[in-house]
Amino acid sequence: MKIAIVYTSISGNTEEAMRIINAHMKEYTSQCYVYHVEQFPFYQLESLDCLIVGTYTWGNGEIPYEMMDLYRAFENCSNKDLVTGVFGTGDQCYPHFCGAVDEFRDMLYVQSNLAATLKIELLPQQLDMNRMKRFIEVVMKRVNSKKGITV
Ligand SMILES: Cc1cc2nc3c(=O)[nH]c(=O)nc-3n(C[C@H](O)[C@H](O)[C@H](O)COP(=O)(O)O)c2cc1C
């Protein structure tokens, strides 16, 4: 099973969410690799079983610039069976809370086998812990059902 988490973060909120999500992932597999988006080898999209995207939101509900190559790579990817999930942090003060998660969700729904999405307000808090655990549960259930494993 090959799984990757590809993320971006400037002030550390999304990175912290990624760390917690990755820790939950370790309960399912030792083969989950974490990449900052600028280090991710895009060709791996074709051979992964699952990819989780983590992003903050910029501008007016927009995807950060450094995530756009990943967004476009999905559109050109022929592995439409790839199980995906997208999580992100944002700030409710902005009119379009976690807009980048919505943008990725809409694209991944069409271009992949999207299992779950998760929006977190700024730095993950205690109340987010269960939500992050559940996010990984749902994603891994989809991965395992594809492989014929019942969880
Ligand atoms: C210029 C600017 C624009 C932002 N625009 C949005 C937005 O439209 N929607 C949103 O939910 N959050 C927005 N945010 C908040 C960030 O997404 C939020 O602080 C996020 O947790 C940062 O993630 P990071 O710590 O991983 O870099 C904006 C922040 C800045 C500085």
Side-chain angles (χ1 to χ4, degrees):
M1 196 190 301
K2 281 187 290 177
I3 298 179
I5 301 176
V6 182
Y7 79 100
T8 186
S9 179
I10 290 182
S11 56
N13 296 341
T14 315
E15 187 168 12
E16 181 58 17
M18 174 278 290
R19 280 204 197 97
I20 298 164
I21 281 169
N22 188 35
H24 285 302
M25 195 57 110
K26 296 239 178 325
E27 293 164 22
Y28 293 86
T29 175
S30 55
Q31 285 179 307
C32 176
Y33 301 94
V34 175
Y35 299 90
H36 187 277
V37 68
E38 280 157 3
Q39 262 90 55
F40 179 61
F42 288 119
Y43 67 85
Q44 284 199 9
L45 278 182
E46 299 294 341
S47 58
L48 284 169
D49 295 299
C50 172
L51 187 141
I52 294 176
V53 177
T55 183
Y56 61 93
T57 293
W58 206 239
N60 182 17
E62 284 151 33
I63 296 175
Y65 174 79
E66 69 274 19
M67 290 302 266
M68 284 313 295
D69 282 350
L70 179 65
Y71 183 96
R72 291 191 196 102
F74 272 109
E75 292 181 321
N76 297 322
C77 172
S78 57
N79 183 9
K80 301 296 180 204
D81 229 18
L82 176 63
V83 175
T84 56
V86 54
F87 70 92
T89 67
D91 187 338
Q92 303 257 24
C93 293
Y94 289 87
H96 199 162
F97 176 56
C98 287
V101 172
D102 291 339
E103 296 279 324
F104 264 100
R105 176 201 62 206
D106 292 352
M107 179 277 293
L108 290 172
Y109 182 74
V110 175
Q111 305 291 352
S112 75
N113 184 352
L114 178 66
T117 67
L118 177 66
K119 297 180 179 182
I120 296 164
E121 169 81 3
L122 298 169
L123 193 64
Q125 303 295 309
Q126 196 54 40
L127 63 92
D128 297 308
M129 297 302 152
N130 245 345
R131 300 174 67 228
M132 288 188 276
K133 185 169 189 261
R134 181 83 186 119
F135 173 75
I136 289 304
E137 258 170 37
V138 171
V139 170
M140 292 312 290
K141 199 167 180 182
R142 183 74 64 90
V143 172
N144 288 329
S145 73
K146 248 184 67 187
K147 292 195 167 291
I149 302 166
T150 313
V151 286

